[in-house]
């Protein structure tokens, strides 16, 4: 068995969608992603770092801005594809950090709003407007810090987690979604805190609103993919005009690459695995539908309860049920993927490369 190493210069990825990209096979000249070819040759050091090339460096490389010069990414794979291309990523070594981070998120986005509501509403003489002004001002501290940390990881010079084929300012699909989601939530909360008597049921709706948007986006993208539509805009590493992929694909790519420290290498490996494996593509399609249906179902249930239960119960339900649902879905998905990957390996010789 022989192995090929794909050496990819991130600087070559940082191009417009209509500019040819020379990256050792991860992106074709028309900007569409494709698996690296078995005969992909590593780029010379002069193509990666103009400083090494001296006076013989190509003019295109020597004129790159400093922000476009990055360390190469190594992707080693079996050109015979005798087994599924490895993702080279595991959650097992990150369990502690994942548990710590989500504990902070739950405390920040579930426990704190509820504690502030009951503590300030019933335990102080503050006006009801002031109660929710304080709660809104303190909401989401951990999430906001994480938002700016991931922005820095994507924006900084020498970023090792940037999107394949995109310029620096693009960030990634998940970051733009997160930005619009936070804007929508803040508008909802600010509007709710303007009246002297805040509409508590409206102030219990922000997370459900995000679930509605999340579920609809997953369904729309997957439906468009099935109907053969092309990507109308860049979706992370998929350039505009590329065949769409399941809605969950870009979320996995972005979250693992940036927040999970998988880097641009993971983006490349995920692309290779997706294109090489029929079972993997089918699994992502089914997981997309699972999360879309679950998000919409949880959003509908939460909304109904918010507008039918008593005021206090509605506020608790609005901030608890969406996170409870997400935790249950995450556990189910983890087990599902573990079983799915075992099935993929067991049936690899029969299903690889099939449409």
């Amino acid at each position: 068995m022989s192995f090929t190493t794909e050496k990819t210069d991130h600087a070559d990825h940082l191009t417009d969608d209509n500019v040819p990209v020379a990256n050792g096979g991860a992106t074709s000249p028309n900007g569409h992603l494709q698996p690296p070819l078995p005969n992909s040759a590593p780029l010379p050091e002069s193509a990666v770092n103009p400083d090494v090339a001296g006076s013989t460096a190509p003019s295109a490389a020597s004129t790159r801005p400093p922000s476009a010069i990055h360390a190469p990414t190594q992707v080693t794979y079996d050109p015979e594809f005798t087994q599924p291309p490895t993702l080279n990523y595991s959650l097992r070594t990150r369990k502690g950090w994942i548990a710590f981070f989500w504990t902070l998120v739950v405390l920040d986005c579930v426990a704190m709003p509820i504690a502030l509501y009951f503590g300030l509403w019933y335990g102080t003489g503050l006006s009801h407007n002031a109660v929710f002004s304080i709660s809104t001002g303190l909401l989401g501290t951990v999430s906001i810090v994480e938002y700016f940390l991931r922005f820095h990881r994507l924006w900084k010079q020498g970023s090792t987690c940037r999107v394949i084929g995109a310029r620096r300012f693009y960030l990634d699909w998940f970051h733009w979604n997160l930005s619009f989601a936070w804007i929508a939530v803040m508008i909802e909360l600010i509007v709710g805190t303007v009246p002297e008597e805040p509409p508590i049921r409206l102030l219990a709706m922000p997370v459900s609103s995000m679930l509605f948007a999340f579920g609809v986006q997953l369904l729309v993208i997957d439906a468009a993919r099935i109907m053969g539509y092309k990507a109308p805009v860049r979706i992370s590493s998929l350039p505009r005009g590329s065949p769409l992929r399941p809605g969950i694909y870009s979320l996995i790519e972005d979250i693992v690459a940036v927040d999970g420290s998988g880097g641009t290498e993971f983006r490349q490996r995920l692309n290779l695995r997706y294109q090489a494996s029929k079972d993997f593509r089918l699994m992502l399609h089914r997981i997309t539908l699972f999360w879309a249906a679950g998000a919409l179902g949880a959003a509908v249930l939460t909304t109904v309860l918010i507008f039918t239960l008593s005021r206090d119960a509605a506020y608790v339900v609005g901030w608890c049920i969406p996170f409870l649902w997400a935790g249950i879905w995450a556990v189910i998905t983890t087990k599902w993927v573990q079983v799915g990957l075992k099935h993929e390996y067991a049936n690899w010789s029969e299903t690889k490369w099939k449409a």
Side-chain angles (χ1 to χ4, degrees):
M1 181 187 302
S2 62
F3 289 87
T4 300
T5 299
E6 177 197 359
K7 188 174 185 180
T8 304
D9 180 6
H10 291 191
D12 289 325
H13 288 320
L14 305 182
T15 57
D16 289 326
D17 295 347
N18 58 351
V19 177
V21 179
N23 65 354
T27 310
S28 64
N30 63 5
H32 292 191
L33 293 170
Q34 61 184 21
L37 300 176
N39 61 353
S40 299
L43 292 176
E45 184 65 20
S46 60
V48 176
N49 188 350
D51 296 332
V52 176
S55 60
T56 61
S59 58
S62 62
T63 57
R64 287 179 185 150
S67 61
I69 301 173
H70 304 279
T73 295
Q74 296 284 347
V75 176
T76 302
Y77 65 97
D78 172 14
E80 302 298 329
F81 292 102
T82 55
Q83 61 182 5
T86 178
L87 295 175
N88 196 30
Y89 191 87
S90 174
L91 295 178
R92 292 188 180 91
T93 58
R94 298 170 171 86
K95 285 183 178 179
W97 168 248
I98 293 172
F100 174 72
F101 174 76
W102 282 107
T103 298
L104 291 180
V105 170
V106 169
L107 290 174
D108 186 42
C109 296
V110 180
M112 188 177 70
I114 295 173
L116 287 175
Y117 167 65
F118 285 101
L120 297 177
W121 188 282
Y122 294 105
T124 70
L126 293 172
S127 68
H128 295 166
N129 178 278
V131 168
F132 282 102
S133 295
I134 294 172
S135 178
T136 299
L138 295 177
L139 177 67
T141 303
V142 173
S143 301
I144 292 172
V145 169
E146 173 62 18
Y147 174 89
F148 284 104
L149 285 176
R150 81 183 314 278
F151 175 86
H152 174 69
R153 294 187 191 112
L154 288 164
W155 180 260
K156 68 179 180 179
Q157 294 186 11
S159 172
T160 58
C161 59
R162 199 166 293 160
V163 167
I164 301 170
R167 291 188 181 276
R168 181 182 183 183
F169 61 80
Y170 173 74
L171 302 177
D172 64 16
W173 180 254
F174 179 70
H175 203 85
W176 286 110
N177 274 273
L178 197 60
S179 301
F180 289 120
W182 267 113
I183 291 172
V185 167
M186 287 298 106
I187 290 174
E188 202 167 357
L189 290 174
I190 291 170
V191 168
T193 57
V194 169
E196 290 187 12
E197 286 298 325
I200 294 179
R201 298 183 193 278
L202 173 63
L203 293 170
M205 280 293 297
V207 188
S208 297
S209 301
M210 292 180 69
L211 288 188
F212 273 119
F214 173 69
V216 168
Q217 183 184 98
L218 290 182
L219 282 181
V220 168
I221 291 177
D222 215 47
R225 178 188 66 84
I226 292 171
M227 291 187 288
Y229 286 98
K230 307 295 184 182
V233 295
R234 171 177 282 279
I235 302 178
S236 287
S237 293
L238 288 180
R240 179 170 57 89
S242 299
L244 287 167
R245 294 182 179 181
I248 205 73
Y249 179 95
S250 62
L251 298 181
I252 295 172
E253 176 190 333
D254 294 342
I255 292 172
V256 174
V258 183
D259 307 279
S261 302
T264 303
E265 177 186 344
F266 178 81
R267 298 183 188 274
Q268 295 168 329
R269 290 185 180 277
L270 183 66
N271 170 62
L272 182 60
R273 180 68 158 266
Y274 181 86
Q275 295 209 17
S277 174
K278 173 189 174 183
D279 283 346
F280 193 74
R281 295 193 296 270
L282 183 59
M283 181 176 67
L284 292 189
H285 164 62
R286 290 171 174 170
I287 291 175
T288 295
L289 297 182
F290 177 67
W291 277 86
L296 293 175
V300 169
L301 173 63
T302 305
T303 302
V304 170
L305 292 176
I306 286 173
F307 287 96
T308 55
L309 295 175
S310 65
R311 181 192 66 193
D312 291 349
Y315 193 77
V316 173
V317 163
W319 287 97
C320 286
I321 286 185
F323 287 95
L324 178 62
W325 162 80
I328 294 172
W329 249 238
V331 171
I332 294 174
T333 301
T334 300
K335 299 299 182 183
W336 183 353
V337 170
Q338 290 172 347
V339 173
L341 294 181
K342 289 180 180 178
H343 174 80
E344 180 190 19
Y345 272 85
N347 296 277
W348 178 247
S349 60
E350 301 175 4
T351 61
K352 66 176 180 178
W353 298 112
K354 292 184 179 179

